[in-house]
Amino acid sequence: MDPQRTPARRLWEAVEPLHAVVYFAPEPAAAAKALGLPSWWMGYFTGRVAPLGPLDAPPVTAMLFGFAPSMVARSLPDAWAYASPEAVLAARLDAVRATLERALPPGSEDRLERLAELLEQAVAGCRYDGRPLAAGWSGVRRPASAAGRVWLAATVLREHRGDGHVLAAVGAGLRGLDATLTLVADGGVPQETFQANRGWTEAEWEDGRRRLVARGLLDRTTRPTRAGEALRRQLEEDTDRLAADPVAALGESGVEEAIGLAVPLSRHLVDTGVLPVPNPIGVPRP
């Protein structure tokens, strides 16, 4: 096993596809449209933060971190005039349940039931200091179905990890765009994918690049310097360290069992085209 793939990272890679179908499957998009939300991005931003209430753009930009403020502001707070947070949340939960029940292979029920138990155990071990997104999702009522329970628990875990990643990046002196630029420079996701998906203009992207060159993190060809490589490596290590609560709650055997249950399901979602790889999230095929 690659020593850089810590138990926390392996757990994220195994489980993240089960959450990420919400961004790519047709059911969640159709549910948002049925609520009257005029654009896909309104469905995205409201869906990510619905448990926290009808937030305005600035706190959502701060929490989601990598999106251009202007992109978030095109959706919020206007989206809440079309659908309440409660309606968005209910529609999303029902849509992802339907997605997983349709997309996963027949006979997955027992595997989902056990995986739900393990992921809920992992969630029970999480602390939420400085983690608003994860804290919000942790208060959502548990669905009745195993597929819904797996999706909700996977969502709390991924937002817990994501909030920790933001904490690590801010601690390293990075802005949201800076963190994106270092990931692109490291070869994580192509610039065209990230720049368009996160709403940054050419001028904003170039300003960010100059800022990182001035800090000695990128060279003039936009490749990472040794200092940039070290910072990116430290950022990923800190993210894994800050995602240790669920791993500790499960213990070594629980982590391995959860990974063993989740990987075939997640691979099925990738291999059948429900979740594209590569993708703007950066999640690989586990």
Side-chain angles (χ1 to χ4, degrees), residues 66-117:
F67 287 90
S70 59
M71 183 175 185
V72 183
R74 284 195 291 272
S75 292
L76 299 176
D78 294 356
W80 304 120
Y82 297 95
S84 69
E86 295 79 10
V88 170
L89 178 60
R92 174 160 284 215
L93 290 171
D94 188 57
V96 292
R97 174 201 54 76
T99 297
L100 291 176
E101 290 178 351
R102 169 187 62 81
L104 291 176
S108 298
E109 291 78 10
D110 289 346
R111 181 180 291 266
L112 286 169
E113 285 283 356
R114 179 56 181 157
L115 182 59
E117 293 173 2

Side-chain angles (χ1 to χ4, degrees), residues 179-189 205 212 217-218 222-225:
T180 298
L181 281 160
T182 63
L183 181 60
V184 169
D186 199 42
V189 179
W205 195 268
L212 294 183
L217 300 176
L218 298 181
T222 319
R223 297 298 304 159
T225 62

Side-chain angles (χ1 to χ4, degrees), residues 114-190:
R114 179 56 181 157
L115 182 59
E117 293 173 2
L118 289 167
L119 297 186
E120 287 163 357
Q121 180 181 336
V123 166
C126 290
R127 294 172 296 168
Y128 299 104
D129 313 54
R131 302 175 196 256
L133 274 173
W137 280 99
S138 73
V140 173
R141 179 177 296 183
R142 184 179 294 176
S145 70
R149 289 169 58 201
V150 164
W151 186 85
L152 178 59
T155 298
V156 177
L157 293 174
R158 73 96 64 177
E159 298 296 12
H160 181 272
R161 181 183 177 87
D163 285 341
H165 183 71
V166 173
L167 292 171
V170 172
L174 297 176
R175 308 179 191 188
L177 175 56
D178 297 341
T180 298
L181 281 160
T182 63
L183 181 60
V184 169
D186 199 42
V189 179

